[in-house]
Amino acid sequence: MSNIPAVNALLTAINHDRFAEIEAHHASDAVFHSFRGPTLRDSVAIADWHREFLRDYADCNYTELEYVEQGNTVALRATIEAKAYDWRPFTQRIVEVFEFDDAGEISARRLYAMLRDIELDKAATASMTDAQGFQGGSASTTKGVVDKFLTSVAAGDIDGMKEPIHDKATLIDGVYGIAHGFDNILALSGSRPQPAFGTLRVTRVLTGEHDAMLEWAIEPSRPRLAQWFRLVDGKVRVVEVYWMLREVGVNPMENYANDRHRRQVILPI
């Protein structure tokens, strides 16, 4: 049985500030990692976290929902529409991973995000339009492409990495920028700051008909980033990168400064 309706029920509860329902959807010992931090380890704390979250994300609404489901795990890609402290609207792209227990309750959640109000250039928009309009593919084909890509990454085989990548592929990194074409994507990926110790490894792969979600971490108990692969005709057309912002030293609120406007007294004429 699919767990996607349970995910949608949770999103409805979040969109309508129903904190008791939010708590009820989680197992009592659920673990929640979010891009805002900190790590939470019980359903009451998770409901309280959403009280604070929904103060900062007023009129929160999850839109543009896309899913990849495998076993007891559902990966969601969505865009949050909300209003900031001064009621200016903003958007934020997110990927969230839900794990369910046998009772149908959420036992683990991991919420990754881009920075707010990411704007796509013309080429990135064309790539996304192409990828989102593609209706073919199969989960087995997607898995084969992703497995081949990851094998090449592990071996450091540049030619092998390039083979499943579309000629006009786009990388949309929610923190470090946008790149087009394999060479530029490789350069951008290589320019990201790397940790002093440890090796980044894939901790989970979920594959759908033409989408795949990959989670990466150095230490599995500290999720780091999620990638959403979009395939067209067996080639990777778009890769979206979402981060645990706190984990990589990025203040999730830092771009709120762009919203602040000068306040002054308006004197009568």
Side-chain angles (χ1 to χ4, degrees), residues 180-200:
H180 307 288
F182 178 79
D183 293 338
N184 293 328
I185 290 173
L186 189 64
L188 177 60
S189 300
S191 69
R192 295 189 300 226
Q194 299 298 316
F197 302 98
T199 302
L200 201 59

Side-chain angles (χ1 to χ4, degrees), residues 216-234:
W216 298 73
I218 296 167
E219 164 56 49
S221 64
R222 297 177 60 180
R224 191 172 184 87
L225 69 107
Q227 295 177 324
W228 193 275
F229 280 54
R230 299 178 183 274
L231 276 64
V232 173
D233 290 327

